[in-house]
PDB file of all heavy atoms in Angstrom:
ATOM      1  N   PHE A 142     -32.902 304.419  68.196  1.00 96.00           N
ATOM      2  CA  PHE A 142     -32.346 305.064  69.385  1.00 96.00           C
ATOM      3  C   PHE A 142     -31.293 306.101  69.003  1.00 96.00           C
ATOM      4  O   PHE A 142     -31.213 307.163  69.617  1.00 96.00           O
ATOM      5  CB  PHE A 142     -31.754 304.023  70.343  1.00 96.00           C
ATOM      6  CG  PHE A 142     -32.782 303.396  71.238  1.00 96.00           C
ATOM      7  CD1 PHE A 142     -33.218 302.100  71.033  1.00 96.00           C
ATOM      8  CD2 PHE A 142     -33.320 304.102  72.302  1.00 96.00           C
ATOM      9  CE1 PHE A 142     -34.175 301.520  71.870  1.00 96.00           C
ATOM     10  CE2 PHE A 142     -34.275 303.545  73.140  1.00 96.00           C
ATOM     11  CZ  PHE A 142     -34.700 302.248  72.920  1.00 96.00           C
ATOM     12  N   GLU A 143     -30.507 305.796  67.999  1.00 95.00           N
ATOM     13  CA  GLU A 143     -29.464 306.757  67.619  1.00 95.00           C
ATOM     14  C   GLU A 143     -30.066 308.030  67.038  1.00 95.00           C
ATOM     15  O   GLU A 143     -29.596 309.132  67.325  1.00 95.00           O
ATOM     16  CB  GLU A 143     -28.453 306.105  66.679  1.00 95.00           C
ATOM     17  CG  GLU A 143     -27.517 305.197  67.467  1.00 95.00           C
ATOM     18  CD  GLU A 143     -26.458 304.516  66.629  1.00 95.00           C
ATOM     19  OE1 GLU A 143     -26.685 304.345  65.409  1.00 95.00           O
ATOM     20  OE2 GLU A 143     -25.415 304.136  67.198  1.00 95.00           O
ATOM     21  N   THR A 144     -31.106 307.886  66.260  1.00 91.00           N
ATOM     22  CA  THR A 144     -31.801 309.075  65.762  1.00 91.00           C
ATOM     23  C   THR A 144     -32.328 309.894  66.933  1.00 91.00           C
ATOM     24  O   THR A 144     -32.167 311.117  66.989  1.00 91.00           O
ATOM     25  CB  THR A 144     -32.979 308.674  64.846  1.00 91.00           C
ATOM     26  OG1 THR A 144     -32.482 307.866  63.797  1.00 91.00           O
ATOM     27  CG2 THR A 144     -33.666 309.904  64.274  1.00 91.00           C
ATOM     28  N   GLY A 145     -32.929 309.186  67.878  1.00 92.00           N
ATOM     29  CA  GLY A 145     -33.439 309.867  69.068  1.00 92.00           C
ATOM     30  C   GLY A 145     -32.358 310.647  69.783  1.00 92.00           C
ATOM     31  O   GLY A 145     -32.545 311.802  70.166  1.00 92.00           O
ATOM     32  N   VAL A 146     -31.203 310.007  69.953  1.00 94.00           N
ATOM     33  CA  VAL A 146     -30.111 310.675  70.659  1.00 94.00           C
ATOM     34  C   VAL A 146     -29.646 311.906  69.883  1.00 94.00           C
ATOM     35  O   VAL A 146     -29.345 312.946  70.472  1.00 94.00           O
ATOM     36  CB  VAL A 146     -28.937 309.706  70.895  1.00 94.00           C
ATOM     37  CG1 VAL A 146     -27.694 310.457  71.341  1.00 94.00           C
ATOM     38  CG2 VAL A 146     -29.331 308.672  71.949  1.00 94.00           C
ATOM     39  N   ASN A 147     -29.615 311.808  68.553  1.00 90.00           N
ATOM     40  CA  ASN A 147     -29.218 312.971  67.755  1.00 90.00           C
ATOM     41  C   ASN A 147     -30.165 314.133  67.968  1.00 90.00           C
ATOM     42  O   ASN A 147     -29.728 315.268  68.205  1.00 90.00           O
ATOM     43  CB  ASN A 147     -29.182 312.614  66.266  1.00 90.00           C
ATOM     44  CG  ASN A 147     -27.903 311.892  65.916  1.00 90.00           C
ATOM     45  OD1 ASN A 147     -26.903 312.031  66.628  1.00 90.00           O
ATOM     46  ND2 ASN A 147     -27.931 311.114  64.851  1.00 90.00           N
ATOM     47  N   VAL A 148     -31.435 313.858  67.886  1.00 86.00           N
ATOM     48  CA  VAL A 148     -32.422 314.919  68.111  1.00 86.00           C
ATOM     49  C   VAL A 148     -32.233 315.497  69.513  1.00 86.00           C
ATOM     50  O   VAL A 148     -32.194 316.712  69.709  1.00 86.00           O
ATOM     51  CB  VAL A 148     -33.852 314.377  67.953  1.00 86.00           C
ATOM     52  CG1 VAL A 148     -34.868 315.442  68.360  1.00 86.00           C
ATOM     53  CG2 VAL A 148     -34.087 313.915  66.526  1.00 86.00           C
ATOM     54  N   TYR A 149     -32.097 314.614  70.466  1.00 90.00           N
ATOM     55  CA  TYR A 149     -31.893 315.058  71.842  1.00 90.00           C
ATOM     56  C   TYR A 149     -30.699 316.009  71.965  1.00 90.00           C
ATOM     57  O   TYR A 149     -30.770 317.047  72.597  1.00 90.00           O
ATOM     58  CB  TYR A 149     -31.699 313.852  72.753  1.00 90.00           C
ATOM     59  CG  TYR A 149     -31.116 314.229  74.086  1.00 90.00           C
ATOM     60  CD1 TYR A 149     -31.915 314.768  75.086  1.00 90.00           C
ATOM     61  CD2 TYR A 149     -29.748 314.075  74.337  1.00 90.00           C
ATOM     62  CE1 TYR A 149     -31.378 315.146  76.296  1.00 90.00           C
ATOM     63  CE2 TYR A 149     -29.209 314.447  75.544  1.00 90.00           C
ATOM     64  CZ  TYR A 149     -30.019 314.984  76.526  1.00 90.00           C
ATOM     65  OH  TYR A 149     -29.483 315.360  77.719  1.00 90.00           O
ATOM     66  N   LYS A 150     -29.609 315.626  71.315  1.00 90.00           N
ATOM     67  CA  LYS A 150     -28.399 316.447  71.431  1.00 90.00           C
ATOM     68  C   LYS A 150     -28.610 317.837  70.855  1.00 90.00           C
ATOM     69  O   LYS A 150     -28.105 318.828  71.389  1.00 90.00           O
ATOM     70  CB  LYS A 150     -27.232 315.774  70.711  1.00 90.00           C
ATOM     71  CG  LYS A 150     -26.579 314.700  71.576  1.00 90.00           C
ATOM     72  CD  LYS A 150     -25.331 314.156  70.904  1.00 90.00           C
ATOM     73  CE  LYS A 150     -24.760 312.987  71.703  1.00 90.00           C
ATOM     74  NZ  LYS A 150     -23.897 312.138  70.854  1.00 90.00           N
ATOM     75  N   GLN A 151     -29.342 317.900  69.747  1.00 83.00           N
ATOM     76  CA  GLN A 151     -29.620 319.220  69.161  1.00 83.00           C
ATOM     77  C   GLN A 151     -30.463 320.056  70.117  1.00 83.00           C
ATOM     78  O   GLN A 151     -30.184 321.229  70.352  1.00 83.00           O
ATOM     79  CB  GLN A 151     -30.373 319.075  67.830  1.00 83.00           C
ATOM     80  CG  GLN A 151     -29.701 318.190  66.810  1.00 83.00           C
ATOM     81  CD  GLN A 151     -28.416 318.776  66.252  1.00 83.00           C
ATOM     82  OE1 GLN A 151     -28.066 319.909  66.541  1.00 83.00           O
ATOM     83  NE2 GLN A 151     -27.694 317.981  65.484  1.00 83.00           N
TER      84      GLN A 151
END
Side-chain angles (χ1 to χ4, degrees):
Chain A
F142 277 106
E143 284 181 335
T144 304
V146 167
N147 280 337
V148 173
Y149 164 79
K150 278 186 186 159
Q151 305 291 354

